[in-house]
Amino acid sequence: MAQSIEKKSMKAKAKTATAAGVVALSSLSFYHAMNAVAATATMPIVAKLIRAIEITINTTMDFGTLAMTVDRAGQATLDPETDKLYIASHSSLSLAGGQPQAGRLQIRGSELPVTISVEETAVKLTNGTATVSVTDFNLLTARGGTYVTVTPTSNNPYVTMAVGATINTRVGQLSGSYVGAARIRANYQ
């Protein structure tokens, strides 16, 4: 009887092994069927590399030496097109020396449109104690505004431009040497 139980146990184990084998084979068959419907494709990849934009400041904007009366406000404008200083008729300012000149910068880039702009609409210059404002920045011409688009070419990857602005003194303005800076931004469109 012990032999009979052992034979039945072995038959049950054989059936289990056979069933496991059938499941394994059917799983393997299913796996092959899944691979039979899979597909592949090749994706093209492209990249265009261009020269980064470079900005070089060639000339500092300089209003020269201006004489003022402290009882009246003053206004003087550097014209980037003519590179001359124009003093408003109602102004208390007058040119007392120096060589006023518009700022000049150079943009170098690839043959794509480049937008150039002055980031601030007004900049404060300081003498360490007091400030004076510079406003109405103009690129290229007196009416150019604070934003312009240029396109470097293969023959000339450099674009040079002038930057003008207006200095505004106020009543009671302190004397002194005032300094400051305007941020210029250039970016591909």
Side-chain angles (χ1 to χ4, degrees), residues 48-68:
K48 183 177 183 178
L49 302 175
I50 60 173
R51 171 181 286 286
I53 299 171
E54 299 172 23
I55 302 176
T56 304
I57 304 300
N58 292 339
T59 306
T60 299
M61 184 182 297
D62 187 347
F63 286 95
T65 302
L66 298 170
M68 62 180 177

Side-chain angles (χ1 to χ4, degrees), residues 66 68 70 127 129-130 172-178:
L66 298 170
M68 62 180 177
V70 295
N127 68 357
T129 306
Q173 185 78 53
L174 296 178
S175 297
S177 294
Y178 289 80

